């Protein structure tokens, strides 16, 4: 009976992997096809579609904007999230859990709803520039990941070490930078990387808050697909998968992100 359960578990695991991995493999394979439309199996092999990526100004500008927005939003969420997470973990008030829920709220709201509400409030009514609206929207996307990882890191840190430094005459600010910050550096960098990945690959919020002069890479791809269905999209999707994989491997290998998530 136990053997049958193990066999069934393996079969389910294999089927799940096939359904998850096969579409990704399909994208990679079709990015090298010679046909003018995305087709499988491919009839030839070429790198022309990868070259075509760099000939599209919308992709180039979208990539630059996505990187800038992701970097600024991730940095802002780290700067805001660090003191917020520290206050939440050190505070014993009845509002701590409520405030934590407020910081985590963006991940509980459908991103389409979040994007539409930000567009309505910031762009339509408040007349905010698109770039600032886009940056604020991605800041909200990043905050839950940053807060959750920082709170986890601070909860694992023995606060008695910090308190002992106060007794020895170290100021609270100095104790934070000398005792706390070095011990939660993994959580800070992990939160930054996760925030960057989620911001860079975000579609719903980016679609609502992008415009003619401010265009993110995901929206540039969607706009390209409206008029073209060639393997250029497969090629740029493959590049995005590779970039995300590199970030995830770097986070797991250098920062121990796997242990934090588990």
């Amino acid at each position: 009976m136990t053997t049958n359960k193990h066999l069934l578990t393996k079969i389910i695991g294999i089927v799940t992997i096939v359904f998850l991995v096969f579409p990704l493999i399909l994208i990679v394979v079709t990015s090298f096809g010679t046909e003018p439309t995305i087709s499988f199996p491919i009839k030839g092999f070429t790198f022309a579609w990868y070259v075509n990526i760099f000939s599209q100004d919308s992709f180039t500008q979208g990539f630059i904007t996505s990187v800038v927005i992701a970097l600024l939003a991730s940095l802002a969420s780290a700067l805001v999230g660090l003191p917020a997470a520290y206050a939440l973990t050190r505070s014993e008030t009845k509002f701590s859990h409520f405030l934590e829920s407020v910081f985590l709220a963006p991940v509980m709201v459908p991103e389409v709803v979040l994007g539409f509400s930000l567009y309505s409030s910031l762009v339509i009514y408040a007349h905010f520039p698109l770039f600032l609206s886009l940056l604020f929207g991605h800041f909200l996307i990043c905050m839950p990941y940053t807060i959750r990882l920082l709170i986890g890191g601070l909860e694992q840190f023995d606060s008695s070490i910090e308190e002992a430094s106060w007794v020895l005459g170290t100021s609270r600010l100095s104790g934070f930078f000398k005792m706390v910050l070095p011990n939660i550096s993994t959580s800070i960098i992990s939160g930054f990387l996760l925030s960057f990945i989620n911001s860079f690959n975000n579609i719903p919020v980016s679609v609502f808050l992008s415009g003619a002069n401010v265009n993110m890479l995901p929206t540039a791809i969607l706009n390209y697909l409206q008029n073209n269905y060639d393997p250029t999209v497969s090629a740029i999707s493959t590049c995005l998968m590779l970039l995300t994989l590199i970030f995830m491997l770097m986070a797991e290998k250098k920062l121990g992100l796997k242990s934090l998530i588990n």
Side-chain angles (χ1 to χ4, degrees):
M1 188 68 178
T2 304
T3 304
N4 292 335
K5 285 184 177 180
H6 284 307
L7 180 61
L8 180 61
T9 302
K10 288 182 179 179
I11 293 174
I12 293 174
I14 292 172
V15 171
T16 302
I17 290 173
V18 168
F19 273 99
L20 288 174
V21 175
F22 180 73
L24 302 180
I25 294 176
L26 198 64
I27 290 173
V28 175
V29 172
T30 55
S31 71
F32 296 103
T34 55
E35 294 295 305
T37 58
I38 299 175
S39 59
F40 184 84
I42 59 176
K43 296 181 179 180
F45 187 90
T46 180
F47 286 101
W49 306 112
Y50 286 89
V51 176
N52 190 44
I53 293 174
F54 299 97
S55 67
Q56 304 294 323
D57 291 337
S58 60
F59 289 160
T60 304
Q61 292 300 322
F63 176 80
I64 294 172
T65 304
S66 292
V67 170
V68 171
I69 290 289
L71 283 174
L72 291 177
S74 301
L75 180 60
S77 68
L79 293 175
V80 174
L82 183 57
Y86 182 81
L88 289 172
T89 53
R90 296 297 185 267
S91 174
E92 296 180 358
T93 64
K94 59 182 179 181
F95 296 108
S96 298
H97 292 293
F98 171 75
L99 291 175
E100 182 179 345
S101 299
V102 170
F103 282 111
L104 298 177
V107 81
M108 304 174 192
V109 179
E111 290 189 352
V112 172
V113 176
L114 181 63
F116 176 70
S117 62
L118 289 173
Y119 177 76
S120 300
S121 58
L122 297 181
V123 179
I124 300 298
Y125 295 108
H127 303 291
F128 268 44
L130 277 178
F131 184 85
L132 292 180
S133 301
L134 193 61
L135 179 58
F136 182 72
H138 280 253
F139 166 76
L140 293 181
I141 294 170
C142 294
M143 276 303 296
Y145 299 97
T146 303
I147 285 288
R148 189 62 262 169
L149 282 169
L150 288 175
I151 287 178
L154 286 165
E155 287 177 344
Q156 292 178 11
F157 173 68
D158 188 357
S159 60
S160 63
I161 299 175
E162 182 185 11
E163 293 169 0
S165 70
W166 300 343
V167 175
L168 294 173
T170 304
S171 67
R172 287 181 176 253
L173 185 61
S174 179
F176 174 79
F177 282 102
K178 290 181 179 179
M179 300 295 175
V180 180
L181 209 57
N183 285 282
I184 63 168
S185 58
T186 295
S187 299
I188 295 172
I189 304 175
S190 299
F192 181 89
L193 286 174
L194 271 184
S195 296
F196 183 90
I197 291 169
N198 282 278
S199 172
F200 187 84
N201 293 324
N202 177 269
I203 294 178
V205 174
S206 301
V207 166
F208 278 101
L209 299 176
S210 291
N213 298 322
V214 181
N215 201 20
M216 301 282 285
L217 184 57
T219 55
I221 295 173
L222 290 176
N223 292 334
Y224 184 86
L225 271 172
Q226 291 180 359
N227 302 310
N228 306 275
Y229 191 68
D230 59 50
T232 301
V233 179
S234 295
I236 197 167
S237 298
T238 301
C239 293
L240 288 176
M241 284 191 291
L242 181 61
L243 180 65
T244 302
L245 179 63
I246 290 172
F247 266 88
M248 293 302 294
L249 289 176
M250 183 172 65
E252 181 179 338
K253 184 176 181 180
K254 301 293 183 181
L255 307 170
L257 182 59
K258 185 176 182 180
S259 61
L260 280 173
I261 295 176
N262 296 335

